[in-house]
Amino acid sequence: MKLAGEYLTFDDTVIVPGLSPVEPHEVDITGMATKGIHISIPILSSPMDTVTEDRMAIALARLGAVGVIHRNLSREEQASMVKRVKEAVPSPWMEVPRASIREDPGILPMRMAESGSRALLLLDGPRLAGILLDPSADPGVWHGKAVWLWRLMTTIKPMPSLDSEGRLLVGAAVSPYDIERAKALEKAGADFLVTDVAHLHNENALGMLSRLVKSVSIEVVAGNLGTREGVLDTLTKAEGVAGLRMGISSGSICSTGEVAGAAVPTLTAVLNARSALEELGLADKIPVIADGGIRNPGDAAKAIIAGASSVMLGRFLAGTLEAPGPVINVGGKRYKPYRGMASRGAMEKRHAADRYSRPSKALEEGVEGLVEFTGSVVTRLGEMALGLQAALGYAGAPNIRRAWSASLARVTPQGRSEVKPHDVIF
Ligand code: IMP
């Protein structure tokens, strides 16, 4: 028997405050989704059928993040979703000079109709002077959206995530065994592929990954992996991998740790990837994506300090309007469905939707449930992005690369409860 050591989780650690050369609102959170794709908000959405379809991917790319379309669909349906993202208007808003409105107030409804958008950003020279909303839009959703849009635009000033032809960027999930799907997704315009396997560190899967990388000309992110050895084997057996998706069993809907007893918590998985990349001299070449269990900006910042270039979010985005699935009323509160891709319902759908899918295990490793409805994804993304700036500000890091030199400290369980709100009745 070999005891591999101790695995740290987000809750075991805190960020060590450091001397910051900038104010929090000046922190640059530009991250990487792949070797070649930089995004101004370092967030990818999980390829899950209750998180990312075309609507989510469009909203995220317009705001500076990027979506990864799930694969619980036929190849054709997944490829059509990719196409719809590539054909979408790249901006959810139009920029209109304030002076032009004074001259011609009729320009506003005309511009909204033209752009298909429901918000106009009013510019005073290069400065953002206001946001105008389409009056027919649901005020409950749009009020919050406008406030966060304002905060994002004035603080982070995100650039939409665009390809070289000015179209929105989008990723798509594939199994490494499904080269036909990978080719169809590339043809539809996907900018990168993300392998979607619970345990990529498997000889067959790595052999297929190597074939997959050679079969397409777009970048391929490999995952999921947890250990240093997993990363070393992946990078040696599948040359050309353009990113690492790290984390095993930390997902909020994941039951792997319980039913199969295996896990590498996301924070540890990122540290392991970093150690492998440093060993290979590739630390700043191949981005690490922290995937699973990220609940708030503090967790995201810890993952980045550990060595991630971006984070992947499932539950955090699943309650939004842009996630697939209906809003469900239970006892006067609003919810949306959220389920693991290895839950019984999701696996049944996958095998029904895709007769080529390759069931490798019969074990259910995910659960199905509900998450609170949280309104538009603009609000959620705003919370995460602005919180991340603040957290990196504490760490003394003006950008993600510099955050890799910041520190985390281990806290005791007592310390953990002390650094949360306590002894107050809410
Ligand atoms: P969350 O952000 O904590 O909800 O975690 C989302 C991540 O959980 C995804 O990006 C996947 O890596 C992982 N995941 C998705 N479905 C399952 C499942 O059924 N079992 C285990 N992990 C899953």
Side-chain angles (χ1 to χ4, degrees), residues 3-53:
L3 200 56
E6 267 189 324
Y7 281 175
L8 289 179
T9 67
F10 294 124
D11 276 350
D12 293 319
T13 58
V14 288
I15 295 170
V16 178
L19 176 65
S20 178
V22 297
E23 291 301 313
H25 69 266
E26 294 166 334
V27 171
D28 177 3
I29 56 168
T30 302
M32 287 162 87
T34 67
K35 265 176 159 178
I37 296 179
H38 291 251
I39 42 181
S40 53
I41 296 184
I43 291 172
L44 292 89
S45 60
S46 293
M48 299 171 72
D49 63 3
T50 45
V51 180
T52 317
E53 294 193 338

Side-chain angles (χ1 to χ4, degrees), residues 18-29 154-157 385-399 402:
L19 176 65
S20 178
V22 297
E23 291 301 313
H25 69 266
E26 294 166 334
V27 171
D28 177 3
I29 56 168
T154 48
T155 316
I156 295 183
K157 305 180 189 79
L386 297 172
L388 195 52
Q389 273 191 322
L392 295 188
Y394 278 107
N399 56 47
R402 291 274 293 279

Side-chain angles (χ1 to χ4, degrees), residues 44-48 51 196-198 224 245-257 266 290-295 312-318 338-344 346-347 350 364-367:
L44 292 89
S45 60
S46 293
M48 299 171 72
V51 180
D196 202 29
V197 188
N224 277 42
R245 184 180 172 195
M246 298 301 300
I248 291 179
S249 279
S250 286
S252 57
I253 36 44
C254 177
S255 55
T256 305
T266 300
D291 175 25
I294 294 167
R295 299 156 297 180
M312 181 171 266
L313 305 176
R315 192 197 62 86
F316 193 85
L317 301 174
Y338 183 43
R339 66 181 182 187
M341 291 297 280
S343 64
R344 178 188 298 236
M347 288 199 294
R350 179 151 59 250
E364 279 169 43
E365 292 184 34
V367 298

Side-chain angles (χ1 to χ4, degrees), residues 154-241:
T154 48
T155 316
I156 295 183
K157 305 180 189 79
M159 303 288 292
S161 309
L162 302 177
D163 65 18
S164 56
E165 290 168 41
R167 299 172 306 175
L168 295 173
L169 289 175
V170 62
V174 282
S175 150
Y177 296 90
D178 195 350
I179 296 202
E180 287 314 307
R181 182 180 289 255
K183 287 184 177 164
L185 293 166
E186 176 177 29
K187 195 160 161 234
D191 296 281
F192 63 101
L193 300 174
V194 177
T195 63
D196 202 29
V197 188
H199 179 49
L200 180 70
H201 196 197
N202 165 300
E203 288 190 355
N204 281 334
L206 289 180
M208 290 308 291
L209 173 67
S210 169
R211 275 185 59 191
L212 178 81
V213 173
K214 290 188 193 114
S215 308
V216 292
S217 53
I218 51 178
E219 291 181 310
V220 179
V221 172
N224 277 42
L225 294 163
T227 61
R228 183 179 144 277
E229 294 73 19
V231 171
L232 292 173
D233 285 342
T234 300
L235 296 179
T236 42
K237 291 191 166 68
E239 222 178 299
V241 160

Side-chain angles (χ1 to χ4, degrees), residues 325-393:
V327 176
I328 299 165
N329 263 299
V330 184
K333 277 191 88 174
R334 295 192 287 176
Y335 298 88
K336 289 201 73 161
Y338 183 43
R339 66 181 182 187
M341 291 297 280
S343 64
R344 178 188 298 236
M347 288 199 294
E348 279 171 6
K349 182 172 170 230
R350 179 151 59 250
H351 305 321
D354 181 2
R355 63 201 160 95
Y356 305 103
S357 67
R358 185 177 177 280
S360 62
K361 306 182 245 198
L363 193 65
E364 279 169 43
E365 292 184 34
V367 298
E368 306 184 44
L370 297 174
V371 289
E372 244 177 74
F373 175 64
T374 50
S376 168
V377 77
V378 176
T379 315
R380 291 299 263 172
L381 211 68
E383 285 167 12
M384 190 52 93
L386 297 172
L388 195 52
Q389 273 191 322
L392 295 188

